[in-house]
Amino acid sequence: MSPALTEIDQCTYVPPAVLPVPIAEPGTRNEAVSFTMPDGEILTGHFTLPDPVTDASDNLKPLVVICHGMLNHRFSKVIRNLSRALCPEYPHLCLDFPGMGTSTGITRYGNFNDEYVCLKHVLAQLRKQGYTIVGLIGHSKAGSLVLTYATHHNDIPLIINVSARYDHTQAPSFRFKPEHMQLLQDQGWFEWLKYGKEKERTFIVREEDLRIRSAIDMSIVRDIVLRNDQGAVVTKVLTVHGDQDSIVPVKSAWDFHNQIGKNGNLRQDDDHQIVIIPEGDHSFLTEPEAKVREMNVG
């Protein structure tokens, strides 16, 4: 039987008025925001908006939403780099999923569907506030997440998948140690690592988590509607991947390229664009990856 969650495994609620935000880039300002989920959990994030705000941007309220990967958060270097590189002057929201950053709740290895539901609720609340969601960006695990959203909802014109995994049937061989797998066999769970600002929280992996994660089927991207019956563009997809990614091999990018929108008869070559970053790793933190700055969703 796996151990019960303790208080230290869960983030506590922080009111938006005192939520931290990153230092804003020149010409922008950051504003904290929170979203209440149906189960009572509070997801947090921050808007990056033009400063000063123009009348046009006030009226239109276009927004890109940026989502982090596993054991990551909106303050991380990879999310800050994606924010600067892909939408440096465009209004966007960086979100913390449950149990990460300053959001309440817990995170789990097998919580892909939970985060998908959270994303849908956040987008619905943003639209109620008058925002038009013009783009979704997801890194790593969240890359698969935003592609899954696009498969079921053709209401966002631009989807950017950064370093997402196509085949989830096996974890990377180096992720879990032999002793981890032995514990999994003996007791059905193991303590994988410590995380959190002070490494005060324990990430526990259970048999159920591995089953759920390995069952993720990204072949569903074949059903993304890229063009309507009249041939007009509905959704464009961009995949960005580093050719030196040791966490998610670059083969995943080509697997997505071969499958995205495949079931649509009107797909054209430029409906899904793929950019391979030379010498790029999984988190795009090395100097050669500055080339990603050439891309702009605005």
Side-chain angles (χ1 to χ4, degrees):
M1 180 177 179
S2 58
L5 294 169
T6 64
E7 282 189 24
I8 206 166
D9 291 316
Q10 305 190 38
C11 289
T12 54
Y13 173 64
V14 180
V18 295
L19 278 172
V21 296
I23 297 174
E25 297 290 320
T28 67
R29 74 180 193 279
N30 291 329
E31 295 181 0
V33 64
S34 65
F35 305 90
T36 302
M37 298 295 102
D39 62 2
E41 299 294 358
I42 308 294
L43 300 196
T44 59
H46 64 268
F47 293 112
T48 297
L49 305 169
D51 189 23
V53 177
T54 65
D55 290 340
S57 64
D58 262 346
N59 293 332
L60 296 174
K61 298 182 75 172
L63 192 71
V64 174
V65 177
I66 303 178
C67 304
H68 65 76
M70 184 172 65
L71 290 174
N72 205 256
H73 50 79
R74 61 190 170 97
F75 300 100
S76 68
K77 287 183 180 180
V78 62
I79 295 302
R80 294 202 308 271
N81 285 348
L82 291 176
S83 169
R84 289 192 294 261
L86 297 175
C87 37
E89 299 177 358
Y90 206 84
H92 56 278
L93 167 72
C94 295
L95 182 67
D96 280 331
F97 281 115
M100 300 309 303
T102 52
S103 291
T104 67
I106 61 170
T107 187
R108 300 195 320 277
Y109 193 74
N111 67 347
F112 186 86
N113 290 335
D114 296 339
E115 291 186 351
Y116 171 69
V117 170
C118 286
L119 178 61
K120 290 201 299 182
H121 282 295
V122 167
L123 296 177
Q125 291 184 40
L126 288 168
R127 287 171 173 139
K128 285 182 179 179
Q129 295 171 23
Y131 289 97
T132 300
I133 313 301
V134 297
L136 268 183
I137 302 173
H139 174 252
S140 193
K141 176 184 177 184
S144 298
L145 193 70
V146 301
L147 288 169
T148 298
Y149 180 89
T151 299
H152 299 295
H153 308 273
N154 58 339
D155 55 6
I156 296 178
L158 178 63
I159 305 294
I160 301 182
N161 150 38
V162 183
S163 306
R165 184 181 304 280
Y166 183 83
D167 182 2
H168 289 80
T169 55
Q170 292 185 348
S173 59
F174 57 81
R175 176 163 287 172
F176 302 132
K177 300 176 181 178
E179 53 265 37
H180 289 150
M181 304 314 293
Q182 185 62 52
L183 285 170
L184 191 71
Q185 182 177 337
D186 293 343
Q187 61 186 23
W189 61 275
F190 61 85
E191 294 183 2
W192 180 24
L193 47 75
K194 297 287 186 180
Y195 71 105
K197 188 174 182 180
E198 305 296 333
K199 304 294 183 185
E200 75 282 7
R201 305 170 71 195
T202 302
F203 195 103
I204 294 173
V205 176
R206 301 165 174 82
E207 282 184 311
E208 181 186 10
D209 294 318
L210 294 178
R211 285 196 298 269
I212 292 172
R213 186 174 174 85
S214 64
I216 296 172
D217 179 11
M218 293 310 301
S219 70
I220 61 172
V221 298
R222 293 176 295 184
D223 295 327
I224 292 178
V225 178
L226 300 173
R227 292 176 179 265
N228 62 21
D229 292 340
Q230 290 72 46
V233 174
V234 174
T235 304
K236 278 189 172 291
V237 182
L238 171 65
T239 289
V240 182
H241 216 109
D243 67 359
Q244 299 300 309
D245 190 333
S246 61
I247 306 297
V248 179
V250 70
K251 179 181 181 298
S252 278
W254 296 107
D255 289 338
F256 279 119
H257 184 64
N258 292 333
Q259 295 297 325
I260 286 175
K262 184 178 180 180
N263 286 348
N265 296 326
L266 300 174
R267 168 177 164 167
Q268 297 184 14
D269 289 343
D270 63 348
D271 290 339
H272 176 241
Q273 297 185 24
I274 184 168
V275 176
I276 305 300
I277 306 298
E279 301 180 50
D281 67 11
H282 186 64
S283 297
F284 297 97
L285 301 180
T286 60
E287 188 62 29
E289 293 155 7
K291 295 176 183 177
V292 78
R293 293 179 182 273
E294 297 172 7
M295 296 175 292
N296 190 308
V297 301

